[in-house]
Amino acid sequence: PVMTNEANHPDPNDGLAWRRLGEERFAHSDYDAAADAFTRAAQLMPNDAGTLFQLAGVLDLQGHHNAAMALWDRVNQIAPRDITRLTQATRLRHIYDSMEDLLTTRDAFAANVARLIGEGFQLPIDRIPASPPFLLAYQGMNDRDLMRDFAKLFAPPPPIELQPRRQRDRMRVGFISNNLRYHSIGVINKGVIGRLDRSQFEVFVLSIGEFHDAYADAIRASADARRRGGTSARSCRRRST
């Protein structure tokens, strides 16, 4: 959708309006504009942990890893939260200076995960989505043990009772992700979702967050049912069941 001039140019002194603009631009995968908006919001609300956390996330996506880590450290000082603590301990860079640099980073990642496990750290995924260390896969190594240990940092939700499927029903297949958009996950799964045989499968799409780009729109249009699951695992779980 085309943004209005008013949305593009919020009140220069309204920090919340700039933050909302940053969130809207992020939803459209416009990370440069999102970073600019969040930066302006942070200037107006320098102690707003939510704004700083979102700005750090965008800067990290842009490759400004050190700046992002410094912001997450500030967020943790202003409003300590387990999700910020986990992010700081396990965030990985996109690019490394050398193989030695990469191996050193992997060792630090493993040590941080082991430390959190030793401290009894667990993030309840019925309230906060569990995001895997996506960038490990790009390092071309055996990540099994690291992923196994990383999973120990999350507390699973309590079991729920599922209704049995009626024999005449089509098999239900669900796709749940915060990357069903212009992202490698969205690019890979767009065709899968669109081409599943609808005589055999009923396809559900549940997006964690609201995104608007060519891939997100195409995925929504090709599903039999689609919902926006909000930003919490609890709300997604409620909507999906």
Side-chain angles (χ1 to χ4, degrees), residues 120-170:
F121 179 97
Q122 278 200 314
L123 201 65
I125 62 173
D126 62 334
R127 295 200 302 271
I128 301 174
S131 297
F134 189 77
L135 295 176
L136 275 181
Y138 289 95
Q139 296 177 0
M141 298 183 183
N142 186 344
D143 301 324
R144 179 190 176 280
D145 291 346
L146 287 178
M147 294 294 287
R148 177 202 61 205
D149 291 343
F150 184 80
K152 296 176 183 177
L153 301 177
F154 299 91
I160 58 174
E161 183 178 352
L162 299 177
Q163 296 299 320
R165 183 170 65 93
R166 293 174 298 182
Q167 193 62 36
R168 66 178 181 274
D169 288 346
R170 291 178 292 167

Side-chain angles (χ1 to χ4, degrees), residues 106-124:
R106 284 178 69 90
D107 288 344
F109 177 94
N112 286 338
V113 169
R115 173 176 54 80
L116 290 174
I117 292 173
E119 294 171 359
F121 179 97
Q122 278 200 314
L123 201 65

